[in-house]
Structures are given as structure tokens and as C-alpha cells.
Amino acid sequence: MTESVPVDSTQSAAWQTLASIAEGFTPDLHAWFAADPSRASRLTFQAADLTVDLSKSFLTDEILAALLQLAEDAGVAGRYRAMIEGEHINVTENRAVLHTALRRPKSGADLVPPAGFVVDGQDVDADVHATLDKVYAFAEKVRSGEWTGVTGKRIQTVVNIGIGGSDLGPVMVYEALKPYAQAGLEARFVSNIDPSDVYEKTKDLDPETTLFIVASKTFGTLETLTNARLARQWLWERLSTSGAIGDSDDDRTGAVAKHFVAVSTALDKVEAFGIDPENAFGFWDWVGGRYSVDSAIGTSVVIAIGPENWKGFLAGFHAIDEHMRTTPLERNVPALMGLLNVWYTNFLGAQSHAVLPYAQYLHRFPAYLQQLTMESNGKSVRWDGSPVTTDTGEIFWGEPGTNGQHAFYQLIHQGTRLIPADFIAVANPAHPLKDQTGDGGGVAPGQDVHDLFMANFFAQTKALAFGKTADEVRAEGTAESVVPARVFAGNKPTTSILAPALTPGVLGQLIALYEHIVFTEGTIWGIDSFDQWGVELGKQLALQVTPAVGGDAAALEAQDSSTKSLIEKYLALRGV
């Protein structure tokens, strides 16, 4: 059983050791590598297909030992075991946290917990795989053309309507795995309640070949249901205008039944919308939105890439789950990365963390991690309701390389802020190309462009670690007045993650890696990483403000002076 009162890590001897080390801490990666020729090999680890190099991070043997002791004192391994076995570690909602169950195989002698384990009276494995089988069967119908629109045409575009975890996960995975998508099938994603979003995503579509997936567990999310109604209205208007359907209620109901499905457990609301409950795919209270991409929330992606590729995606998650469960802390990659983040955040003053994928298909991965990390660990109370005893959370951000090099890397290289950065790359691109002509200079004819790309990946972490001294700058003949501006201090911490290729399995591994990094940090901080009450107040107030925006004088008068003034200006600009 997990402790009802979290350990206060700040009171441990390991925390005090780290605090003592941090006083006057001056990293010297040059010296560390010079003194230890085995540093790179000792601090490079394997987690499934991921090679993770921590040697350019701020780790010494003393720091590592203290971080490992901190994890032992906080009970990271025991709490992880409690999570995967279904204990209610989400205490503010009194729920189990079982996203790891979404990717467990149906059977296996080495499964922990054993296959068929029951949580709160529910056979978790049976329920998960029944839903998966239902999603797979539906996906195959769409992919084969067996499922058609109301006029008998096969589906060509799937539009996922969701927000938060019901959008960020599917769109990121779809973009990452585009090379695996079936030809002739496209997925689009609507999330923002700004009407421009649904307009832009539907304006050039053929309603006869479009399928909408409405993703909302409760089927009551304001943004999602508003966009779903707009999409339904678009469908009716377009089909009616073309003569594909008449204007009767039966015609409209029949169109919705063929062009809308749902990911939801609120079957009564699904049916009231016009969707056949048989075409609703459920998930459970023990799956948080930001942890749900590998549930039925990913239906749009299953349709695009197919069930077999999706199974590989799930297997990637499970491989890292097992690594987290079975690997000793001193080689446990998610735990080590989470502990490093605690070291940077709580002892060295880092406030943000860059994620820099050198893979264009991962261009939405930093945005996905923003929700995963900041919604999970943006907390100011511990899981027993007591105030936190240290800073929590990190600001995650990033863009793909090499784009970021021409944008914000300046701040990382020569700015005054400590910004730990994760560099992610794959050895084998989906589309290898050669520059047959070259540029007559540094790029020779026949240059493998992925090699050129990866040279930047390797060079950036080298430059961040080791920098460039004033003497090195002078040796290039630089004028003395310019020397200070061209010095690179180095000693900027990075982690390098290298995978063979961006396969479905590797993508699953990357997502699970960061899930368990978040878990490790949350355990050290003693917080509930699985609730998200901070998103509720603004949504509640929006419902109260809506009448004021709509012209209700009493509601407008009830607002604070700033909000009232802004609404009045808005109404004036709208000509109201």
C-alpha cells in the first residue's frame, strides 16, 4: 500500500546532501570527461530501442548517488508498483491510475499483475481488450471501404473532434506516424472553440466521404460538443444542398448515423446526439485525458495506420512500462531522467525544459509533452492536501531541429538561464534523400541529407557541453572587441535520445518514457500527478461570463470592473 501521507523529500538526508552540493556548484563537463574516459559509456543507457546518453548532464558520482537515495527514500519503485496494480493513487478523485493497463498484452506468463487482474470489481484486461477489438473491427471496416457514408461512398477523411488529451495525443501520433497511414485516408483534428478551426478543417471536404469522431468521455465538454454540433450542421447543410439527403428528420438522423461515431461512455448523450451507441467506444475513469492516447481516444489514428501498426505502438509503451518496473534505479532511464529534472529544478534553479526532436514528424511532440508534464505536475499541494515543500513542475517547450537552431537556441547557448534540453533523433529516416548537386562548398554532391541533419544533432549537444573559449575565438583571428560576443561558455546540460527509426513501437516508447519521468518527479514532490483541478475554475467562470457576452445586462454588471470593461469594448467592436 502507498503512504496516505507523502514523504517530505526535503527532510531526507539525500536532499540535504544535494543542497550542500548545489551550494557553489560549478559544472565542468570538460574536466569531467577528461578525468573519466569511460564517462560516456557509463552514463549511456538502453531502454528498449532507445539509447539515452546522460553523460552531458550535470551528473557526478556523488550527485547520482544522492539522487538514487532520494528515489529510494521517496519510494519511487513501490509507488510505481502500487500504480500498476490499481491502488487509488489519484487520491483527490479516489481513482486508480491504470494507463499502463491500456497496453498490456492479452496474456503472458510474466505479466505483472497477472493477466485478468481485477480493480474495483472490473476485469481490467478483459475490458481493455474488448474495447480494442471493437476499435480494430471498426477501423478495418473504414479502411476496407465496408463502412461508407450515407450515399455509399467510402470514407476518405476522418475528422477527430476533441480537446486537451482527446486532441493533443491523437494529432501528435498521427503526425508522427504519417508514413504508416493508408493511402487515400486522411485524418484532421478540430479542437479549438474558435469557429475558424472547424471552418478551416471542413471547408474543402466532401461530406459524402467524411467521418467525424467526437471524443469526449462525458459527452459534455463545451468545446467538443459545440464543434460537434457545428460539424453536424455542416454535414446536413452540405448533403442537403447537393441533394444527397432530404430535409426530413429521418434523413438527417440517417446521415449522422453514417458520418459520426463517438469515443465516450455517456451512451445516453451519444444517442441523443444521433450517434448509434453501438458506434461508441468507451474508456474508463482510471485513464486521465493526457494519458489516454493509447485508449479508444486514438481511434482516428487506428483507422489511419491500421490495427497491426497500432499493436506495435502499444507494444512500445509496454516495453518501457516493463523497463520502469524491472530495471534497478541506477539503470532505470525514466527514473534517472526524472531525478535529473528534480536536480535541475529544485537545486540549480532551472524553470524550463526544452524538448528538441530532430525528426520533423515529431513536430507536435513538445506540445503533447506540455500537457503531459505541466498538467500533471503543476501542483502547489501534496496528495494529502498539505502545501508542497519545494518548487514543482517545469515549463516544457520546444520545436524540431534544425528550425529551433535558427530561432531560440541563442538563448540556450549564450543566455543567462539554465535550460536543460532533451535532443531526440532517429538513425533511419522515413524518406532518405540525397542532395545530388550540393552547394559547391560544405555540402558535396551526393550528400545524404539525413547525415547532414544528424551532424547538427551531434554538433549542438557538443557545443552546449563544451562551448568555445576566448583563446579559441582569438585563434580564428577575431578582433579583440568582438571576442566576448563569440565566446560560448558551454556547460549547458543535455540528454541525447537516439532510436533506430520512428516506428510505431519507438513512438510508444518515447511517450511512455516521459509518462514515467513525470511519475518519478511527482513521487519525489509528493504530489498527485493524475488530477487536474487547475483547469476547472476558468471553465466554470466562462459559463458565468457567457450571458454577459451575450447581452445580459445583469450578468455584465456582476463582473469585476476589468472584465466588465473588456466585455463592453468587445461588444462595441462587434457593433452590439
Side-chain angles (χ1 to χ4, degrees):
M1 294 290 291
T2 58
E3 296 292 332
S4 58
V5 177
V7 171
D8 184 352
S9 294
T10 67
Q11 300 303 305
S12 69
W15 190 280
Q16 303 311 315
T17 298
L18 290 164
S20 177
I21 295 170
E23 289 184 16
F25 176 72
T26 304
D28 192 342
L29 287 164
H30 256 303
W32 294 348
F33 274 92
D36 181 7
S38 67
R39 180 178 175 86
S41 59
R42 285 196 308 109
L43 293 177
T44 297
F45 304 91
Q46 198 70 29
D49 294 314
L50 307 179
T51 300
V52 180
D53 180 359
L54 302 181
S55 66
K56 296 188 185 79
S57 62
F58 290 171
L59 273 182
T60 64
D61 289 343
E62 183 184 21
I63 293 166
L64 179 58
L67 289 172
L68 292 173
Q69 188 59 54
L70 188 67
E72 291 281 1
D73 293 346
V76 169
R79 185 165 172 82
Y80 183 77
R81 181 69 176 250
M83 181 182 79
I84 67 173
E85 291 183 349
E87 288 192 31
H88 285 206
I89 68 168
N90 179 355
V91 294
T92 71
E93 297 178 293
N94 192 26
R95 292 175 180 171
V97 177
L98 283 172
H99 48 278
T100 54
L102 296 170
R103 53 264 195 155
R104 280 164 51 93
K106 278 187 176 180
S107 60
D110 56 348
L111 276 179
V112 176
F117 81 110
V118 175
V119 174
D120 299 333
Q122 173 190 352
D123 186 329
V124 173
D125 286 327
D127 287 356
V128 166
H129 285 282
T131 298
L132 275 174
D133 289 343
K134 185 177 179 181
V135 171
Y136 292 159
F138 177 73
E140 290 290 16
K141 286 181 181 180
V142 176
R143 290 167 61 81
S144 69
E146 179 183 346
W147 180 283
T148 65
V150 70
T151 62
K153 292 183 180 180
R154 69 183 298 152
I155 299 300
Q156 296 179 355
T157 309
V158 178
V159 180
N160 186 86
I161 302 175
I163 197 165
S166 298
D167 170 75
L168 284 165
V171 71
M172 181 275 289
V173 174
Y174 174 72
E175 290 293 324
L177 299 181
K178 267 188 175 177
Y180 294 86
Q182 178 173 296
L185 261 180
E186 179 192 6
R188 297 186 183 185
F189 300 85
V190 173
S191 57
N192 203 328
I193 199 173
D194 181 337
S196 301
D197 195 14
V198 70
Y199 171 79
E200 288 292 337
K201 299 298 171 50
T202 58
K203 67 179 182 180
D204 61 340
L205 294 182
D206 178 354
E208 296 180 46
T209 62
T210 301
L211 174 71
F212 294 96
I213 300 175
V214 184
S216 173
K217 183 188 293 187
T218 63
F219 220 74
T221 307
L222 174 66
E223 296 90 343
T224 299
L225 268 294
T226 300
N227 281 327
R229 290 190 296 270
L230 291 174
R232 183 178 61 182
Q233 181 177 310
W234 172 88
L235 181 77
W236 285 339
E237 290 175 354
R238 292 291 185 93
L239 290 177
S240 178
T241 299
S242 69
I245 64 170
D247 291 328
S248 71
D249 288 344
D250 286 346
D251 287 341
R252 291 186 168 200
T253 299
V256 171
K258 295 296 291 183
H259 291 272
F260 277 81
V261 299
V263 179
S264 179
T265 54
L267 298 185
D268 54 339
K269 294 180 181 178
V270 167
E271 187 171 20
F273 185 88
I275 298 172
D276 185 342
E278 286 298 311
N279 298 323
F281 311 99
F283 55 115
W284 306 272
D285 283 344
W286 41 256
V287 183
R290 58 195 175 277
Y291 296 93
S292 68
V293 66
D294 44 340
S295 72
I297 286 294
T299 297
S300 57
V301 187
V302 182
I303 293 170
I305 69 173
E308 289 307 309
N309 283 321
W310 189 259
K311 291 173 185 176
F313 178 58
L314 298 183
F317 278 95
H318 185 65
I320 297 298
D321 295 344
E322 286 296 281
H323 173 90
M324 180 72 178
R325 182 181 69 84
T326 63
T327 307
L329 282 172
E330 62 268 19
R331 299 194 311 277
N332 192 307
V333 173
L336 289 171
M337 290 180 69
L339 291 168
L340 262 175
N341 291 354
V342 169
W343 168 234
Y344 295 139
T345 300
N346 295 123
F347 298 94
L348 302 183
Q351 295 185 337
S352 77
H353 194 115
V355 178
L356 309 170
Y358 278 66
Q360 182 60 29
Y361 283 120
L362 285 174
H363 69 103
R364 292 293 292 167
F365 194 54
Y368 174 79
L369 292 183
Q370 286 172 354
Q371 184 193 20
L372 174 64
T373 59
M374 293 194 280
E375 193 167 85
S376 294
N377 285 345
K379 309 292 169 60
S380 56
V381 297
R382 302 193 300 165
W383 72 63
D384 65 346
S386 62
V388 296
T389 55
T390 188
D391 287 338
T392 65
E394 303 154 278
I395 301 166
F396 263 67
W397 58 283
E399 283 287 329
T402 55
N403 296 17
Q405 293 175 201
H406 294 264
F408 52 76
Y409 277 38
Q410 171 67 39
L411 177 65
I412 303 177
H413 276 287
Q414 290 186 309
T416 60
R417 300 185 183 277
L418 174 64
I419 304 174
D422 297 346
F423 284 72
I424 304 170
V426 298
N428 297 288
H431 306 291
L433 296 172
K434 291 187 177 181
D435 184 346
Q436 298 297 354
T437 56
D439 65 359
V443 180
Q447 171 71 59
D448 183 306
V449 178
H450 192 66
D451 286 350
L452 184 63
F453 184 44
M454 288 298 293
N456 282 270
F457 171 84
F458 299 123
Q460 288 295 328
T461 59
K462 181 175 182 177
L464 287 164
F466 304 119
K468 193 173 189 179
T469 67
D471 286 343
E472 289 171 327
V473 175
R474 290 188 186 98
E476 296 173 342
T478 305
E480 189 63 30
S481 62
V482 184
V483 167
R486 298 186 63 176
V487 168
F488 290 76
N491 290 311
K492 310 292 187 181
T494 63
T495 294
S496 296
I497 302 171
L498 184 62
L502 188 54
T503 62
V506 162
L507 182 61
Q509 291 169 30
L510 284 171
I511 298 171
L513 171 67
Y514 281 91
E515 288 179 347
H516 301 330
I517 289 170
V518 166
F519 171 87
T520 301
E521 293 172 306
T523 302
I524 299 296
W525 292 325
I527 59 177
D528 185 343
S529 299
F530 306 101
D531 62 11
Q532 59 279 336
W533 296 107
V535 307
E536 296 299 321
L537 179 58
K539 294 195 295 186
Q540 294 167 3
L541 291 179
L543 294 175
Q544 297 174 22
V545 172
T546 297
V549 177
D552 185 320
L556 180 61
E557 200 58 37
Q559 304 305 316
D560 66 89
S561 60
S562 172
T563 304
K564 180 174 180 288
S565 176
L566 286 168
I567 293 172
E568 287 172 340
K569 182 63 175 179
Y570 166 77
L571 293 174
L573 291 170
R574 291 294 301 269
V576 177

